[in-house]
Amino acid sequence: MAIASVLNKHAPYLRMYKDYVNNLKTATNFVTTAKQKRFREFLQITQRNRGTKGMDLITLLTLPVHRLPQYKDLMENLLESTEEGDEEFKLVKQATDLCTEVTQQVNKAFAEYDEAMAKFVENNPKFRKGSGVDKKTLLNNNAPTVKPPIRRKPSVFKSHKSVERQFSRSEGDIKSNADIFVEQFAATWTSAKTVVYKDLPRLVKRISVTSTGGGNEERKFEVEAKGSSAAAAATTSSTSSSSSLSSSSSSPPSTSSGGGVWDSVCKLIMFVAKELETQEKLEELKKALKDHNVQDNAEIFPSLKDVFEKCLGLDSKTFAIFKTTHQSMLVPAMVKLAESVFKPLGQNFKDVNRPEGWKIQIHIGEAIYIVHKRIEQSLHSPDDPKHFECHWSLRLSFDKQMSDLKAVFVRIIDVKTHPDMPKEEQDKVVDALKGEGYLIS
């Protein structure tokens, strides 16, 4: 575990990132408001430089900060894969705790800045939401400038059709690239455990479930935000009617004292378990959820761990489904996306931090499949004509017993570009996607 040793040695120095974040605000303000002609020319020249890959200075300044959560996620994954009795476990745990501490400090610095900005906006009515003021000018005492939002072009596909690429395991003795690709997902899926307890509470609002019973009946579950709290809604529909599910058949025990997140997580677990587990197991689950009576979000992790490990069981179909919903499941597809699409274009990418930026759909029927829908964006500033967003989906297909990953499907749903992106740049995007089989004419 050489990486753990390196991080243990250098992680304390990462605390300087807190100062970096504070100075980043000043630097960003300077770059966006500087009027010196030579400096503006310098920025334009360096952005065209091959080494910057088309990224502007603001984007380059934020890149180091993006590394911190990546270190944290890496160490958490290593910790999950390391047995407690292993001689390296203590080393990995120490590195994980250090990375978590540093990330929390930096996040706190960002939060303090956001809080200060919110107070500033509140005390200055002309800067409030809906005024159309460019946010960058909030750091400046000069007169604000009104800036209309950039509207993405609907698509660069035009006459091309988006298709879903299938990767299935072969029956031969020689492994194909598709075999290796599917096995990467299978390995991540089978090894997941701790990450489920950690990620499920924060992802519950992004998850929806659809279950098909006999005939045309379809049952759905999703969490809807109402004000500052989350409400879980479960409905049954068919071709002729729509009605609420009875509380006796699907609702979990009341956990309102534990807050909206725990309540929503409980209802989600119960909805999935009702479709897959025995009635006896459901009764045990109801009691276990009720007995925990979570009062604080900090109690959710140990409570989920106890429910899954002591009640449902780590070999249950319900737990097998939730092992597909964490972020690590996306990594093999994101690597392929980077290698086949963004790299040929000389681009790097990051996720879109919007509610629609990541949605997870669980479908339970004769077969079970989980769909992750994501939006990635190039690292260019949204104001840059080279900026674009890529909408894509990952579908994982399992057997009814949730014992085997049958196939993986990847699809590029859409690409939205800056309205001023040159046609030759759009053509590069289309050619890259066609070359990998994601588009057909």
Side-chain angles (χ1 to χ4, degrees):
M1 294 293 180
I3 188 170
S5 300
V6 171
L7 281 174
N8 278 324
K9 181 179 179 181
H10 296 286
Y13 297 102
L14 295 178
R15 293 189 179 94
M16 291 186 292
Y17 273 85
K18 182 177 180 181
D19 295 329
Y20 182 87
V21 169
N22 292 328
N23 290 325
L24 179 62
K25 302 154 194 170
T26 304
T28 302
N29 181 38
F30 173 79
V31 173
T32 55
T33 59
K35 298 179 180 180
Q36 295 91 334
K37 183 178 179 181
R38 290 184 62 185
F39 181 67
R40 307 308 305 181
E41 290 176 349
F42 167 76
L43 293 179
Q44 293 174 3
I45 293 171
T46 52
Q47 187 172 349
R48 292 195 296 267
N49 188 291
R50 191 173 183 179
T52 63
K53 297 182 179 180
M55 291 182 281
D56 59 19
L57 182 56
I58 298 297
T59 302
L60 292 170
L61 285 170
T62 60
L63 285 181
V65 183
H66 294 158
R67 290 291 182 189
L68 286 176
Q70 292 175 0
Y71 295 148
K72 176 175 172 287
D73 290 343
L74 173 63
M75 294 313 304
E76 286 178 345
N77 288 334
L78 284 176
L79 183 64
E80 181 185 345
S81 303
T82 306
E83 297 292 337
E84 288 195 30
D86 194 299
E87 60 181 10
E88 302 288 349
F89 181 83
K90 185 177 180 181
L91 197 63
V92 176
K93 179 71 166 59
Q94 183 181 356
T96 304
D97 292 343
L98 280 170
C99 289
T100 300
E101 178 193 348
V102 172
T103 303
Q104 288 174 344
Q105 289 178 356
V106 173
N107 287 340
K108 183 179 179 181
F110 272 120
E112 290 173 351
Y113 168 69
D114 290 339
E115 183 180 354
M117 185 63 70
K119 289 181 179 178
F120 176 82
V121 173
E122 184 64 29
N123 295 328
N124 294 269
K126 64 180 179 179
F127 290 116
R128 287 176 185 169
K129 186 177 180 181
S131 64
V133 177
D134 182 357
K135 191 174 180 179
K136 293 175 182 177
T137 63
L138 297 179
L139 300 175
N140 192 357
N141 291 326
N142 295 333
T145 58
V146 177
K147 196 171 187 179
I150 294 176
R151 299 186 181 277
R152 305 290 107 182
K153 286 188 177 179
S155 177
V156 298
F157 291 172
K158 296 181 181 177
S159 60
H160 306 285
K161 181 182 178 182
S162 171
V163 295
E164 190 175 52
R165 289 192 62 189
Q166 178 177 345
F167 302 87
S168 303
R169 301 188 194 211
S170 62
E171 298 180 359
D173 294 331
I174 301 177
K175 291 185 178 180
S176 65
N177 289 334
D179 287 317
I180 297 172
F181 189 52
V182 174
E183 286 179 4
Q184 289 174 337
F185 290 98
T188 303
W189 170 55
T190 55
S191 63
K193 187 174 72 171
T194 306
V195 71
V196 176
Y197 319 139
K198 176 175 70 73
D199 278 6
L200 192 56
R202 72 181 182 90
L203 295 178
V204 66
K205 291 185 180 181
R206 298 182 182 271
I207 298 175
S208 63
V209 188
T210 301
S211 175
T212 55
N216 294 322
E217 187 183 64
E218 185 179 81
R219 293 178 293 280
K220 295 183 178 181
F221 173 93
E222 63 182 347
V223 175
E224 297 178 351
K226 292 184 178 180
S228 59
S229 61
T235 61
T236 296
S237 63
S238 65
T239 55
S240 59
S241 65
S242 177
S243 61
S244 297
L245 288 173
S246 65
S247 58
S248 61
S249 64
S250 66
S251 298
S254 174
T255 55
S256 57
S257 59
V261 176
W262 175 247
D263 186 59
S264 297
V265 169
C266 288
K267 289 179 179 177
L268 172 62
I269 294 173
M270 283 299 298
F271 186 92
V272 173
K274 180 180 180 293
E275 305 300 318
L276 301 171
E277 309 297 342
T278 64
Q279 187 61 39
E280 180 182 0
K281 183 62 70 175
L282 281 175
E283 293 302 322
E284 292 178 14
L285 179 59
K286 278 186 181 182
K287 184 178 185 305
L289 293 173
K290 183 178 181 180
D291 289 347
H292 277 84
N293 190 28
V294 170
Q295 300 290 334
D296 186 86
N297 284 345
E299 300 174 7
I300 294 180
F301 180 98
S303 297
L304 282 178
K305 185 176 186 295
D306 190 68
V307 167
F308 279 123
E309 295 185 5
K310 297 182 180 180
C311 178
L312 270 176
L314 299 182
D315 58 348
S316 66
K317 288 180 276 188
T318 300
F319 188 67
I321 279 185
F322 288 123
K323 289 201 297 183
T324 69
T325 59
H326 59 92
Q327 191 157 1
S328 298
M329 286 299 298
L330 300 169
V331 172
M334 294 176 72
V335 171
K336 179 174 281 294
L337 193 67
E339 291 293 324
S340 61
V341 179
F342 285 87
K343 189 175 180 180
L345 298 173
Q347 301 267 15
N348 287 315
F349 66 92
K350 61 181 179 180
D351 62 321
V352 171
N353 189 21
R354 300 196 300 263
E356 70 274 20
W358 184 14
K359 293 289 185 181
I360 305 169
Q361 301 168 346
I362 300 171
H363 299 261
I364 305 174
E366 289 304 316
I368 297 175
Y369 59 94
I370 288 82
V371 180
H372 293 263
K373 291 188 175 181
R374 293 269 298 192
I375 304 177
E376 315 294 341
Q377 62 180 330
S378 59
L379 291 183
H380 297 100
S381 163
D383 297 334
D384 193 315
K386 291 185 178 181
H387 183 270
F388 69 90
E389 294 182 355
C390 179
H391 299 225
W392 64 284
S393 67
L394 167 68
R395 180 159 65 98
L396 306 168
S397 179
F398 296 84
D399 63 343
K400 177 67 175 177
Q401 301 303 315
M402 280 301 294
S403 60
D404 185 31
L405 175 59
K406 296 292 187 180
V408 174
F409 302 82
V410 180
R411 180 181 181 184
I412 308 298
I413 300 171
D414 196 7
V415 175
K416 297 182 179 181
T417 69
H418 189 285
D420 296 328
M421 176 181 278
K423 185 178 182 303
E424 55 269 24
E425 293 295 324
Q426 294 184 26
D427 290 342
K428 285 182 182 179
V429 177
V430 171
D431 289 343
L433 295 174
K434 286 179 67 177
E436 293 295 324
Y438 294 112
L439 288 182
I440 58 175
S441 298

